[in-house]
Every structure is written in C-alpha cells, then in structure tokens.
C-alpha cells in the first residue's frame, strides 16, 4: 500500500509544480510588470510569491516523500516527509477549493484539488491502518 501512496504523492507533487509553473508563465491574472518576486493578482492586488513558495514547497515535500515510499528499502530520515507532505496537500487542496468556488470560471481546477484532498485523506488512512 505504501508504494501506491508514494506514486500518488509523486503524481500530485509533479502536478502541483507543473500547474503552478504554467499558471505563473501564462496567466493573464498574474501581473509580472515589477518582476516575479513582486507579482500580484490582478483581480485583488495580493502578492503571490509567498503563496507560490508554499505551493512549491508542498510539491517538493510530496516528491521527496513519494520517492522515499516508492524506492527506499527501509525507513529513514525521509519518512517524516510523508505525513508533512500529505497534510500540506490536504490543506492546500481544501484552501484552494474556496478560490475555485468563488469564481465559476475556475471550475476545471476543482477536479485536481478534489483529487488531492480526497487522496491525501485516503492515503493518511491507508498508512495509519498499515
């Protein structure tokens, strides 16, 4: 079961990093006129860099924990990354669903966010159950 959770973590980590990278580069809602570190959301003016750091950190921890679950032969220092990554995934998925529900034009984003939330909860349950 842990290998299945590891693969899920790898897919979600790569997906988060990929979606955010494409969104940062292509989205007309991102105002990059003052540089990437001062980019703002055009709709509400909020600074985006700290949100991006949190999203990419979640992706990185998911990838590292997933690699550990899939490829490690014994528990090690990497094992603490698994619950942190799954907890961060559950949080960011639930939090971001509020952003999606606030604007119907973002509805397609709800699918990967719902998969992330449900998958994180299910993965935690599978790992706890053994």
């Amino acid at each position: 079961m842990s290998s299945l959770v590891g693969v899920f973590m790898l897919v979600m980590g790569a997906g988060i990093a990929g979606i955010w990278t494409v969104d940062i580069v292509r989205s007309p809602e991102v105002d990059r006129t003052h540089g990437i570190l001062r980019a703002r959301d055009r709709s509400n003016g909020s600074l985006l860099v700290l949100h991006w750091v949190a999203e990419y950190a979640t992706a990185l921890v998911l990838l590292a924990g997933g690699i550990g679950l899939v490829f490690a032969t014994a528990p090690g220092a990497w094992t603490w990354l698994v619950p942190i990554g799954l907890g961060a995934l559950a949080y960011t998925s639930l939090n971001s669903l509020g952003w999606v529900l606030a604007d119907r034009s973002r509805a397609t984003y709800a699918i990967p966010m719902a998969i992330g939330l449900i998958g994180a909860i299910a993965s935690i349950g599978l790992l706890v159950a053994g």
Side-chain angles (χ1 to χ4, degrees):
M1 240 355 114
S2 64
S3 291
L4 179 63
V5 172
V7 170
F8 171 73
M9 291 176 72
L10 291 170
V11 169
M12 292 307 296
I16 289 170
I19 286 172
W20 275 108
T21 300
V22 169
D23 214 40
I24 290 167
V25 172
R26 292 187 182 171
S27 178
E29 292 181 31
V30 177
D31 178 5
R32 296 175 297 279
T33 56
H34 298 291
I36 198 76
L37 295 178
R38 288 195 234 148
R40 296 192 176 273
D41 185 326
R42 288 187 196 276
S43 65
N44 62 22
S46 64
L47 189 63
L48 294 170
V49 69
L50 295 176
H51 184 74
W52 294 339
V53 168
E55 292 286 350
Y56 280 108
T58 298
L60 183 63
V61 173
L62 284 168
L63 290 169
I67 288 168
L69 283 176
V70 173
F71 297 109
T73 56
W78 61 268
T79 56
W80 62 270
L81 297 171
V82 175
I84 291 172
L86 291 171
L89 175 61
Y91 170 79
T92 193
S93 297
L94 182 62
N95 184 51
S96 295
L97 278 170
W99 171 79
V100 167
L101 296 174
D103 183 350
R104 297 275 184 200
S105 69
R106 301 172 179 155
T108 55
Y109 284 101
I111 295 166
M113 290 173 190
I115 291 169
L117 178 59
I118 293 165
I121 292 168
S123 294
I124 292 167
L126 288 171
L127 292 173
V128 168

